[in-house]
Amino acid sequence: LLLLLFSRRRREGEPPLIKGWIPFLGKALEFRNDSYKFLQQLQKCHGDVFTVLIAGKYMTFVMNPLLYPAVIKQGKQLDFHKFSDAAASTTFGFPAVNTGKFPGLSDKIQRSFLLLQGSALNTLTLKMIGNLQLVLQQDFLSSNAVGRKCDWRQEDLYEFCERVMFEATFLTLYGRPPQTKMDVHTQLHRESWIDALLDNFRKFDAIFPLLIAKIPIVLLGRIKSIREQLIRFFHPHRMAEWTNPSEFIQARTELLNQYDTLQDLDKSAHHFAILWASVGNTVPACFWCLYHLLSSPKAFSVVREEIMGMFGEKEPETMTMRQDRLTREQLEKLIYLESAINESLRLSSVSMNIRVVQEDFCLRLNSRCSVYVRKGDLVTLYPQSTHLDPEIYPDPQQYQFDRFVENGKMKTEFYKGNQKVHYYHMPFGSGATMCPGRFFALNELKLFFCITLLMCDMQLTAGQQHATMDKSRAGLGIMPPANHISFRYRVKKCLQRQ
Ligand code: HEM
C-alpha cells in the first residue's frame, strides 16, 4: 500500500502533485508546523490548485475563493459528510452513523440541528443570559470568593473565558445535574462537578488533533480513560436526572433512544461530541474577541458605547440584566460588536472545508479552469488564505474592529480585483456542512460581551507580550493562544462607589 501511495504519478489534466520524500507522511510535518505559510508557498510555485500528500491522503487544495462556489455546489461527486462522519466516530468513540446498522439516523441528526435556530434559538438565548449572569455572579463576583467584591482580581484571560463559557454553555444545553446525587456519586462538593468535567475536557481537547489525525487512542496514554470518563458523564441514567435541558438535547436523547442497536455508552458518546462542538471553538473565539477588544482602546470604547446605548448606563448598578430586556432583535442591532467578533474570527480561524471525491471526474472550477481528481482524494478549501488575502482585506494582519461595518450597516460586499467574493468569511464552514450552531455561537459571544462589559471593568495587565496563535491546530477551527495573557477585572459598581 505504501509503495502504491508513493508511486503515484501526476496524470494529464490533474493539478500539480507535491509528495515530499517521506513515504506516507508526505508533507504532513511542514503542513503541521505552519499550514498557512506552507500553502502560500505552494500557491506561489504551483498556482491556485494543487494536490499534496499529507499523512497518506492526497489533498487537492483550491486556494482562490473565486473558485470556491464550484466546489461548494458540487454535491454529487464531492461528498461532504463522509470525512466528518468517520472523523467524529473515531474521535468521540461512537459507531459510524452512516452504516446499515442505524437506518435514517444521519438524517435525523441533521434535522435535530434545526433546534439550534428559529424559535428554539430564542429560548436558548434567554437561558444563556441567565446562565452567564449566574456563573459570573456565583463564581467570580460573590463575596465568598477570594478577596472583596470590589478588589481588582488578576487572572489568565483564556481561563476566564473558558470557565465562564464552558459552564454557561453546558447549563444552557444540557441543564443542571442534581447537586446531592452528584455529591454522593462523585464524592465531590458543590460546584466541583463542573471543574472536574472541564479538567477532563481540557486534557481531551489537547490531544484532539491527534485523534482527528487517526492516531489510535491506545497509543495516547491516559487519554483513553479520560475519554471514557467524559463519555460516562453523559450516561442516559444520569442525564435523565438533569433539570431543564434544552429542546435540542431532549430531541437528540429521544432520537438516539429509537435505536436499539446503540448501546447506552454510544448514546453518551454522541452527547459528549456535542459538548465538544459547542465549546471547542467558542472558548478560543471568546478569548480572541476579548483580547482584541482589550488591546484596542478605540474598539473597546465604541463597542462599550454601543452596548450601553442599547441597555442603558443604569444596568451595572443592579448587576443583573432582566432576561426580557435583551432580545434577539436587540442583539442583531449591535453591529460594531458583531463586526468586532467577525474580525477576531477572521484572524483566528483555520478551519478547512473537506470533500471526499466519489469517482474519478473532471472538476470544472470556472470557464478557464478544470482539473481531474481521483476517487478517494480530498478536495479542500482553506479559508485562512481568503481571510488573510490583502486584495480582499487590506492590511489583513491588522485588527480593525469596524471592518465589517459600512454606512451604519453590516458590510457584506467584499471584492478580489473587481470580482465580488461570495465566500469571504468562513469561520463556520460553507454550504451543506456549515456549522449548525453558528447562530447560537454568535449570540453566545454577543451575550458574553454585553454581560461582562455591563458588569465588570476589565484591563490587560501592563507590560506583557502580545498573544500569539498556536498554529499546530491547523484545520481544526479557531486557534487557541500559544502564550498566557493575564488581565484584571472588578465589579463595575465599585467604580461608582469610590
Ligand atoms: C461543525 C465552527 C460553535 C455545533 C462546525 C464546523 C465548523 C464549526 C468550521 C465544520 C463545518 C464543515 O465541516 O464545513 C464553529 C465555530 C464556533 C462553533 C467557529 C464558535 C465560534 C458551535 C456551537 C455549536 C456547534 C455553539 C452548538 C451546539 C456544531 C456541530 C457541528 C459543527 C453539531 C457538526 C455538524 C455536522 O456534523 O453536520 N462548527 N462552531 N458549533 N458545529 Fe460548530
Side-chain angles (χ1 to χ4, degrees), residues 349-368:
S349 157
V350 277
S351 65
M352 290 196 291
N353 295 204
I354 296 177
R355 308 288 191 259
V356 183
V357 181
Q358 297 303 293
E359 58 191 15
D360 293 5
F361 80 105
C362 179
L363 174 62
R364 192 180 146 88
L365 291 164
N366 67 16
S367 56
R368 276 164 291 119

Side-chain angles (χ1 to χ4, degrees), residues 80-81 83-85 88 106 109-110 112-113 116 124 169 173-174 248-249 252 273-286 289 341 345 349-355 426-442 444-445 475-478:
F80 40 82
H81 278 308
F83 182 80
S84 54
D85 280 356
S106 178
I109 286 179
Q110 290 300 315
S112 75
F113 294 147
L116 293 168
L124 283 175
T169 306
L173 289 177
Y174 295 90
F248 171 59
I249 292 299
R252 288 178 64 89
I274 289 294
L275 176 71
W276 188 87
S278 65
V279 287
N281 284 314
T282 316
V283 169
C286 185
C289 297
I341 293 173
L345 293 176
S349 157
V350 277
S351 65
M352 290 196 291
N353 295 204
I354 296 177
R355 308 288 191 259
M426 300 169 65
F428 295 108
S430 61
T433 55
M434 211 165 172
C435 169
R438 61 194 180 280
F439 307 109
F440 178 51
L442 196 57
E444 279 191 295
L445 290 170
L476 298 177
I478 307 294

Side-chain angles (χ1 to χ4, degrees), residues 280-295:
N281 284 314
T282 316
V283 169
C286 185
F287 166 85
W288 287 113
C289 297
L290 185 54
Y291 173 74
H292 286 138
L293 280 180
L294 293 178
S295 312

Side-chain angles (χ1 to χ4, degrees), residues 8-50:
R8 174 159 157 166
R9 299 261 176 277
R10 176 178 177 255
R11 294 183 197 144
E12 208 182 321
E14 286 184 345
L17 176 63
I18 300 104
K19 292 191 296 187
W21 54 270
I22 315 176
F24 186 80
L25 273 187
K27 290 286 189 180
L29 299 179
E30 285 102 316
F31 182 77
R32 193 173 181 272
N33 277 349
D34 189 339
S35 54
Y36 173 68
K37 208 163 130 200
F38 170 67
L39 293 174
Q40 286 298 109
Q41 277 162 359
L42 290 183
Q43 188 180 12
K44 261 192 208 136
C45 300
H46 302 285
D48 286 339
V49 188
F50 46 83

